[in-house]
């Protein structure tokens, strides 16, 4: 158990819908990262927050957004969902940022039908 | 461009054999960090090891060992005396200083299958 929690574990929704994925980092970790894992793209970095502020952005679609709250939990919002958004979405946390190992949550498997 | 290359797609071994996973990375940074993660069939990503670019000392931790060579930009990982529970996908990852907040860039992964 990494100490990072993610909910829900599975999500099935239709195209055009909007979903919210939730992540709680390990106790004491200030950085939260979101990654997407798909068969064709592999593991891709989406976005990172540190102590409530966005710090780095990867190949995140404009339809996706995220935020980190004062209690340090984070949410990833995916809207206008397309079939290609079906993937495993991971949240990871680390103490700070560069150089710290990241601990991953169990992931949320999103299926868009 | 892919910065981390794991050329081996799948490796199949019989239990107790050693397994070496190759990882080649590309960076212009002088300070960077390398990681190995394991993804068992259950799907979670498990942190295994981290090295920084200043420390080329190769270490052994239990049945795991790694060989970091800056001259060839390689960071290989070996599982000694493999067990069925080692069956998983193993990912090598790079974190560069220019991405100062530590995002991980992953290779495509190597599937390790250990049969009894």
């Amino acid at each position: 158990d990494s100490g990072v929690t993610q909910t829900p574990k599975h999500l099935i929704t239709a195209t055009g819908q909007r979903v919210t994925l939730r992540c709680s980092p390990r106790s004491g970790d200030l950085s939260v990262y979101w990654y997407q894992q798909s068969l064709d793209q592999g593991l891709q970095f989406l976005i990172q927050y540190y102590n409530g502020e966005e710090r780095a952005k990867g190949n995140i679609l404009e339809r996706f957004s995220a935020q980190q709250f004062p209690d340090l939990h984070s949410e990833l919002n995916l809207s206008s969902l397309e079939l290609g958004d079906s993937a495993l979405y991971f949240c990871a946390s680390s103490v700070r940022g560069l150089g710290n190992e990241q601990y991953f949550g169990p992931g949320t498997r999103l299926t868009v039908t | 461009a892919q910065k981390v290359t794991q050329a081996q797609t799948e490796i199949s071994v019989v239990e107790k054999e050693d397994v070496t996973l190759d990882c080649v990375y590309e960076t212009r940074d002088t300070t960077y960090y390398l990681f190995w993660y394991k993804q068992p069939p259950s799907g979670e990503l498990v942190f295994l090891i981290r090295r920084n670019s200043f420390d080329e000392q190769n270490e052994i931790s239990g049945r795991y060992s790694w060989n970091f060579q800056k001259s060839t930009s390689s960071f290989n990982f070996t599982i000694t005396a493999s067990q069925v529970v080692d069956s998983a996908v193993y990912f090598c990852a790079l974190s560069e200083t220019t991405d100062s907040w530590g995002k991980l860039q992953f290779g495509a992964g190597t599937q390790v299958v250990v049969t009894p």
Side-chain angles (χ1 to χ4, degrees), chain A residues 38-105:
Chain A
S38 62
L39 281 174
D40 52 345
Q41 298 283 337
L43 269 163
Q44 298 283 326
F45 166 73
L46 294 178
I47 197 165
Q48 183 223 357
Y49 283 82
Y50 175 79
N51 204 20
E53 294 192 16
E54 181 187 306
R55 291 298 186 182
K57 241 176 175 175
N59 296 328
I60 187 167
L61 298 170
E62 282 191 19
R63 301 183 285 108
F64 295 1
S65 64
Q67 58 186 71
Q68 187 179 28
F69 295 87
D71 66 351
L72 301 179
H73 91 270
S74 177
E75 293 181 356
L76 179 67
N77 301 296
L78 314 177
S79 61
S80 302
L81 285 167
E82 302 174 0
L83 295 177
D85 298 327
S86 296
L88 190 51
Y89 291 85
F90 284 107
C91 165
S93 74
S94 69
V95 173
R96 282 185 294 279
L98 180 67
N100 299 138
E101 57 267 27
Q102 295 176 26
Y103 291 90
F104 283 74

Side-chain angles (χ1 to χ4, degrees), chain B residues 6-26:
Chain B
Q6 295 180 253
Q8 304 150 308
T9 305
E10 182 171 324
I11 300 175
S12 293
V13 296
V14 177
E15 218 173 8
K16 295 185 186 174
E17 289 183 343
D18 296 349
V19 182
T20 294
L21 309 179
D22 298 334
C23 173
V24 174
Y25 62 91
E26 180 185 333

Side-chain angles (χ1 to χ4, degrees), chain B residues 39-58:
Chain B
Q39 187 174 36
S42 52
E44 74 273 22
L45 278 163
V46 179
F47 165 74
L48 296 177
I49 55 174
R50 177 195 66 179
R51 302 303 288 176
N52 70 52
S53 54
F54 291 107
D55 185 359
E56 287 194 72
Q57 182 178 356
N58 296 312

Side-chain angles (χ1 to χ4, degrees), chain B residues 69-82:
Chain B
Q69 292 196 350
K70 278 176 86 168
S71 59
T72 55
S73 296
S74 65
F75 184 49
N76 298 336
F77 178 69
T78 297
I79 305 170
T80 303
S82 60

